[in-house]
Amino acid sequence: MTDWSAMVSPTALLQPIRSVRAAPVDQDALVDRLRLTAVSLGYALLAAPALALGILTILAIPLGLVAVGFAIAAGVVPATAALTSLHRRVSGGLLGEPIAAAYADTTGLNVVTRPMTWLTDRARWRDVGFLWFSATGGLLMSILPVGLLASPVTHVVVAGLGGFHWWLLLLLDVPLLVVWWWATPALVRARARVERRLLGRDRVEQLERRVEEVTTSRAETLDHSAAEVRRIERDLHDGAQARIASVGMNVGLAEKLMATDPDAAAGLLREARESTATALEDLRSVVRGIHPPALADRGLAGGIEALALPMPLAVTVRVEAPPLPPPVESAAYFAVAECLANTVKHAGATRAWVRVRHDGEVLHLVVGDDGRGGADPHGSGLTGVARRLAAFDGTMVVDSPAGGPTVVTMEVPCPTSPS
C-alpha cells in the first residue's frame, strides 16, 4: 500500500529521478510520475515571482542613474538569490547532485559598491537569464505535465455529470495520458539540467577555481615540505648529530687515556655507549616523524591503533579500509594523529573515537571526543591538517559547539582499482 503522506514530504518529492523510460508500468512508476508532476506544478507556480523579479531587474539598471535603481536592486537581487537557491535545491535533488552558487563576495561593501559588484558578477547575470527562462521556456516545460494530467482528470469529473460528448473527450484523453506517462520524467529532468547549467558554476569558472585551488595547494604543500625538511634538519642537528659528535669525542679521549688511566677510559666508553643508544632513539624518533614504522608494517589500521594505545584517555578505533597508496595512508595517519593530539591538549575529554571507512571512491575519517568543544578550525594544528589533506583534494569539516562534543570529519578522494 502506498504511503501518500510520505510521498508529499519534501524529502520524498526531491528524490533523484530514477529513469525516463516508459517501462515498467506499475504502481511505483505511477507514484514517481505523480511526484514529478507535483514538482512541475511547483516549478510553474514559481514562474510568477520569476517574471516579476525579471522585470524589476531590467528596470533597476537604467533607474540606477537616478539612484532609484539602487533601492530596487537592494531588494531584487537578494530576492532573486533566494528564489534561485530554492531552484538549486529542487533541481539538485532531482539530479542527485548539489548545485553550488558562485557569487562574488560582497561582504563589507557599502550600498554603492555592492551594486557595482553585482553588475560585474557573471553569476548574477546568469540568475537574470534564469528568471526569464523560468517565466518562458521553463514555464512551458513545467506546465505540460500538469496540463496533460489535469485535462483527462477534469474530463472524468465532468463526464460523471452526464453528457454524451464528454465521453468522446474521454476517448481522446487516452493519448494525453500516454504522452503524460512517457514525457513527464524527461521534461522534468530536462528542466533540472537547464537550471544546473544556468545556476551552477560554468565550465570556465570551474576550471579557473580548480586552477586557483591547485596553485594554492601546491604552494602550501611546498611550504609544508620545506618546513618539514627544516624540522628534520633541526632534529638531527640538535639530537642525533650532537650525540654522535659527543661519542666521537669520548672515544678519542678514551683512546688517549687507555694506557695511563684505564678506569677513566672505561667510564668514557660507557658514556659513549649510552650516548650511542640515545642517538639511536633520536634517529628512530625522526624516522617516526617521517613515516611511522607501525604504518609501514601494519598499514593504516595498525598505525592508528598504535597511535591510540599510549593516549591518556580511552580511544575507540574502527577502521574499514583496504590497503591504500602510501601517500594517502600517511596523510590520513598524520591527520588523525594531529586531531588526537589536539584532543589531549585542549579538549579535556574522557574518551575519543576514530572511525575510518572507504567506500570505493573516498576515504572517510571521523575523529571525535566528548570534551568541552570550541575547537578552532583556523588554529595552527587543524589548519595543518586541512593543508595536508588539500594536497589530495581532501576536505575537512569541524563541528565543535561550546560544551562539546567535537567531531572532525575528513574526506580524501582515493578510488581503488577493482580486484
Side-chain angles (χ1 to χ4, degrees):
M1 182 176 178
T2 302
D3 186 354
W4 296 100
S5 61
M7 191 192 80
V8 298
S9 67
T11 302
L13 284 174
L14 300 184
Q15 289 179 353
I17 299 173
R18 294 176 296 180
S19 174
V20 296
R21 297 173 58 187
V25 181
D26 55 17
Q27 180 175 324
D28 290 339
L30 173 62
V31 170
D32 196 49
R33 280 160 175 77
L34 291 174
R35 171 181 73 92
L36 296 178
T37 304
V39 172
S40 290
L41 178 61
Y43 274 142
L45 293 176
L46 290 175
L51 178 60
L53 289 171
I55 294 172
L56 289 174
T57 300
I58 298 301
L59 291 175
I61 296 174
L63 291 177
L65 299 175
V66 292
V68 177
F70 287 85
I72 297 175
V76 169
V77 174
T80 300
L83 180 63
T84 55
S85 176
L86 175 60
H87 278 271
R88 286 188 187 94
R89 181 188 173 195
V90 173
S91 296
L94 294 174
L95 296 175
E97 60 183 71
I99 301 175
Y103 297 126
D105 187 15
T106 57
T107 305
L109 300 183
N110 58 41
V111 293
V112 176
T113 56
R114 185 177 292 113
M116 300 306 296
T117 302
W118 289 339
L119 277 174
T120 57
D121 187 356
R122 287 183 294 180
R124 300 288 182 183
W125 283 107
R126 288 202 301 274
D127 281 1
V128 176
F130 160 78
L131 293 176
W132 290 103
F133 163 75
S134 180
T136 55
L139 175 61
L140 179 62
M141 295 174 70
S142 297
I143 207 69
L144 277 175
V146 178
L148 289 171
L149 179 63
S151 294
V153 171
T154 303
H155 295 162
V156 168
V157 173
V158 175
L161 303 177
F164 177 73
H165 62 284
W166 289 110
W167 290 104
L168 291 177
L169 288 176
L170 287 179
L171 293 176
L172 296 175
D173 285 338
V174 173
L176 293 180
L177 289 175
V178 172
V179 174
W180 170 79
W181 183 275
W182 176 79
T184 295
L187 285 170
V188 176
R189 187 166 72 172
R191 165 145 191 178
R193 285 179 171 176
V194 172
E195 294 197 353
R196 178 181 61 186
R197 180 74 175 176
L198 289 172
L199 300 178
R201 295 188 178 98
D202 64 24
R203 185 63 176 168
V204 173
E205 284 183 334
Q206 289 178 354
L207 292 175
E208 289 176 349
R209 185 180 182 88
R210 181 63 185 140
V211 168
E212 291 176 0
E213 291 174 350
V214 169
T215 302
T216 302
S217 175
R218 183 183 63 181
E220 292 178 345
T221 300
L222 290 174
D223 291 342
H224 178 72
S225 299
E228 283 292 295
V229 170
R230 290 193 296 270
R231 179 188 66 80
I232 294 170
E233 291 175 344
R234 184 177 63 251
D235 290 347
L236 289 174
H237 181 273
D238 297 341
Q241 180 177 322
R243 297 186 189 282
I244 292 173
S246 174
V247 169
M249 294 174 62
N250 287 342
V251 170
L253 289 174
E255 184 180 6
K256 293 179 181 179
L257 294 173
M258 188 67 70
T260 59
D261 192 349
D263 292 338
L268 289 171
L269 290 174
R270 282 194 299 272
E271 184 178 339
R273 183 183 62 191
E274 293 171 356
S275 296
T276 302
T278 306
L280 287 173
E281 184 57 36
D282 288 342
L283 288 173
R284 292 190 185 99
S285 178
V286 172
V287 170
R288 281 194 294 270
I290 300 172
H291 194 74
L295 182 61
D297 297 338
R298 299 161 54 191
L300 185 58
I304 293 178
E305 289 171 355
L307 276 176
L309 285 176
M311 290 289 166
L313 71 163
V315 181
T316 304
V317 176
R318 186 175 70 196
V319 179
E320 300 173 355
L324 300 171
V328 175
E329 289 192 341
S330 179
Y333 172 90
F334 284 110
V336 172
E338 181 62 37
C339 291
L340 290 177
N342 283 346
T343 296
V344 173
K345 291 178 185 177
H346 309 297
T350 59
R351 69 182 185 90
W353 57 91
V354 180
R355 303 285 184 268
V356 181
R357 68 179 181 87
H358 190 273
D359 61 9
E361 296 291 333
V362 178
L363 178 65
H364 303 268
L365 305 103
V366 179
V367 181
D369 64 68
D370 64 351
R372 65 175 64 95
D376 181 11
H378 303 294
S380 59
L382 291 177
T383 299
V385 172
R387 182 170 56 243
R388 185 185 292 272
L389 297 179
F392 300 89
D393 289 339
T395 60
M396 180 187 73
V397 177
V398 179
D399 182 15
S400 183
T406 295
V407 178
V408 181
T409 303
M410 297 163 282
E411 294 184 350
V412 181
C414 182
T416 54
S417 301
S419 57

